Amino acid sequence: VTFTDTSKGFPQEMLWRFGDGKIARVFKTGMDDDTIVHEYPQAGVYNVSLAAATALTTNETTRQITV
């Protein structure tokens, strides 16, 4: 599954929680670091969250997906 960060404010760090126990921490170095690919072990419903951090604040959102 491909995920795309659409955060505003140019976050420097993103923490993805994929809902299957796996996480990914991404340190953005440019404008091309907006997507991440994750392979799920099996079909199912997962709660995916993204915490995007700038120098001043962190915002988090969670969405439920079906794979």
Side-chain angles (χ1 to χ4, degrees):
V1 177
T2 301
F3 297 96
T4 302
D5 169 42
T6 58
S7 301
K8 295 180 175 40
F10 304 106
Q12 293 99 12
E13 181 181 354
M14 297 178 297
L15 179 64
W16 292 91
R17 292 182 182 91
F18 298 106
D20 62 353
K22 304 291 185 187
I23 62 169
R25 177 168 275 145
V26 178
F27 296 95
K28 292 182 72 167
T29 58
M31 297 301 291
D32 295 332
D33 299 334
D34 292 335
T35 61
I36 190 166
V37 176
H38 181 71
E39 187 173 324
Y40 284 91
Q42 61 190 27
V45 177
Y46 297 93
N47 292 313
V48 179
S49 66
L50 169 62
T54 67
L56 301 175
T57 188
T58 299
N59 292 302
E60 187 167 354
T61 187
T62 301
R63 300 284 188 268
Q64 190 174 78
I65 66 165
T66 301
V67 175

